[in-house]
Amino acid sequence: MSALPAFRDPQPRIAQSRELLQRQDVWRADQLGQHSVPAFSSSFPRLDRELPGAGWPLGMVTELISREAGIGELRLLVPLLRQLTREGKVVILLAPPHIPYAPALASFGIDLQHLIIIQAPNAADRLWAVEQTLKSASFGALLAWLPQDKTRPEHLRRMQLAAQGAQGPVFLFRQLAAQFEPSPAPLRLLLLPKPDQRLSVQVLKRRGPVLAMPLLLDLPQPIQAIKLKPSLVRGDDHPAKQARHVTGLATVHSGDALVAVQ
């Protein structure tokens, strides 16, 4: 006959569990993780109140999901980019789908000397470049646009692991279909354009309770207005053709005047 197992008093374990839950660096699923997440303020008070760390988190990936580029996603990040570049920190834009419009960026107070654009048309090269940039960790912020049809869960896991050593926020821009796919990113936001220069931000995933209603944010306006004069091209008398020759650039969406096409 085998001996009965010795009785163990559960009180020490209960005391340890209580002590653990009282620590400020432990996140509970029914609470918003605020204490253990370093972050930069988004400069949108309503958004900060719903983000872990009360802002854009550092050392982790944030996914920004939208139907198309140019709906205002860059203007959502304008306050952060302005702060970082004015502090002399490098902001990297990796494989943006449209050419960033330099005069518009400058009009928002962003220092262009600290802005780097990396082109990577090939999907494999783009994914490789994102991982290598994350491993270097030598940036103030990384904004990367991922190819929807080529991005696999293992790519995202490697990016999330590499982002843990980053000293700045990391944003991955993904297409609308990505909202239904699993992702290791701790923070996922769905962005939808709204009238009157507004943007709807729905929190799909965060370290905290579910946020049922999306946030409606007023997008930043440029510090100074930009006036563009049409450059008339001989033989292009039709107004639609003239619009494509506004100083060689034309904005691609009314929601975001920070991107342009040639």
Side-chain angles (χ1 to χ4, degrees), residues 198-220:
R198 292 182 173 184
L199 189 68
S200 170
V201 179
Q202 180 178 352
V203 180
L204 300 178
K205 179 183 177 182
R206 65 174 177 174
R207 290 177 175 173
V210 175
L211 183 63
M213 298 297 294
L215 305 174
L216 191 60
L217 305 179
D218 293 317
L219 292 172

Side-chain angles (χ1 to χ4, degrees), residues 186-205:
L187 180 61
R188 308 184 79 203
L189 305 179
L190 176 64
L191 310 180
L192 298 173
K194 294 296 180 180
D196 301 324
Q197 303 295 312
R198 292 182 173 184
L199 189 68
S200 170
V201 179
Q202 180 178 352
V203 180
L204 300 178
K205 179 183 177 182

